[in-house]
Amino acid sequence: MISGGFSAALDKLAPEYSDSHGDTLKIVHGPSMGRSPQAIPNRLARGEKADVVIMVGYALDGLIKQGKIMPGTRTELADSRIGAVVRAGDAKPDIASVEALRQTLLNAKSVAWSDSASGRYVQDTLLNQLGVKQALSQRGQMVERVPVASQVASGKYQIGFQQVSELLPVKGVTFIGKIPESVQKVTRFAGAVPANAEHADEAKALLRYLASKEVQSQVRATGLDSVPAT
């Protein structure tokens, strides 16, 4: 089970892993948190089984505290930053500085963000920091379940914010860039083995592979950042 942020990396790496290790990977997608039935914690709570979960790190911590994760199996995989897109063909607004980002939001006809980690930060923290939350009360919207970029591509919203790795795979949009580092929210993605996993050894091997130095160039190509060395 995997949430959106690391999905593009896993999709890229899964065929090579299956060929070299002889394991078949069945990938099930769902948010790291939230009320939707597809959310990974809700799937596990219903008794759905998985050998590996890959999700936002602090959401994974919640599962660890609940005893739903095999002790000692948390594996750090990548860091994800927030970026923005506009519909393909539209002019790219300036978000390179904090003030430019603020003005872009104030000038936008409509703005969307996700219902996962990045969108919660945008809605609860970033808009307040920029002093634009009230101005966007009628023009801003949290998008549930579907990729924000797909809604921008359809013309429903003028600009969309989500983790870069979730924006880049969507066709019909132009990637503007990452929001400034001084107001950036870095989200850690990590994997672990559920307590009731039926193939725990194979699961641990997959996580070691996804965290290995050998695959970091492919991981970074999807818009993620490698975990800093400790």
Side-chain angles (χ1 to χ4, degrees), residues 2-230:
I2 185 168
S3 64
F6 200 79
S7 290
L10 182 62
D11 288 344
K12 183 185 290 283
L13 295 169
E16 177 184 325
Y17 183 82
S18 294
D19 289 344
S20 60
H21 289 74
D23 291 330
T24 299
L25 302 183
K26 179 182 179 182
I27 302 172
V28 178
H29 297 272
S32 293
M33 62 199 77
R35 296 173 294 179
S36 74
Q38 294 81 14
I40 292 174
N42 298 336
R43 289 181 182 274
L44 295 179
R46 289 197 302 270
E48 292 189 34
K49 291 187 177 181
D51 292 313
V52 175
V53 292
I54 297 174
M55 56 198 297
V56 171
Y58 64 79
L60 179 58
D61 287 339
L63 295 178
I64 292 173
K65 291 177 182 177
Q66 296 170 28
K68 295 185 180 297
I69 298 299
M70 192 174 295
T73 61
R74 172 169 168 147
T75 304
E76 313 304 313
L77 296 177
D79 286 335
S80 182
R81 284 171 164 78
I82 299 170
V85 293
V86 291
R87 192 177 186 182
D90 287 357
K92 290 172 60 174
D94 185 3
I95 63 168
S97 68
V98 172
E99 181 56 28
L101 174 61
R102 179 176 179 274
Q103 289 301 321
T104 289
L105 288 170
L106 289 174
N107 295 335
K109 295 178 180 178
S110 56
V111 182
W113 50 85
S114 78
D115 65 342
S116 193
S118 63
R120 290 168 187 265
Y121 168 75
V122 170
Q123 179 171 278
D124 298 337
T125 303
L126 180 63
L127 299 184
N128 283 321
Q129 284 183 337
L130 297 176
V132 300
K133 188 163 189 176
Q134 183 61 37
L136 288 178
S137 61
Q138 302 299 316
R139 294 181 285 123
Q141 182 66 45
M142 178 177 280
V143 175
E144 296 186 357
R145 297 187 302 276
V146 299
V148 170
S150 69
Q151 300 296 288
V152 175
S154 72
K156 189 171 183 179
Y157 300 101
Q158 183 180 11
I159 184 170
F161 292 85
Q162 198 164 10
Q163 287 157 349
V164 175
S165 59
E166 297 184 68
L167 297 174
L168 294 182
V170 179
K171 298 184 183 301
V173 295
T174 298
F175 179 62
I176 304 169
K178 299 175 183 178
I179 66 174
E181 197 67 21
S182 61
V183 292
Q184 182 64 256
K185 170 69 173 179
V186 180
T187 300
R188 171 65 53 86
F189 279 87
V193 181
N196 63 351
E198 295 179 356
H199 305 93
D201 289 341
E202 292 87 346
K204 293 174 185 176
L206 173 61
L207 289 173
R208 286 195 297 271
Y209 170 79
L210 295 176
S212 67
K213 293 180 179 179
E214 289 71 24
V215 303
Q216 291 310 298
S217 61
Q218 292 106 304
V219 170
R220 289 192 295 270
T222 66
L224 294 168
D225 298 310
S226 296
V227 175
T230 56

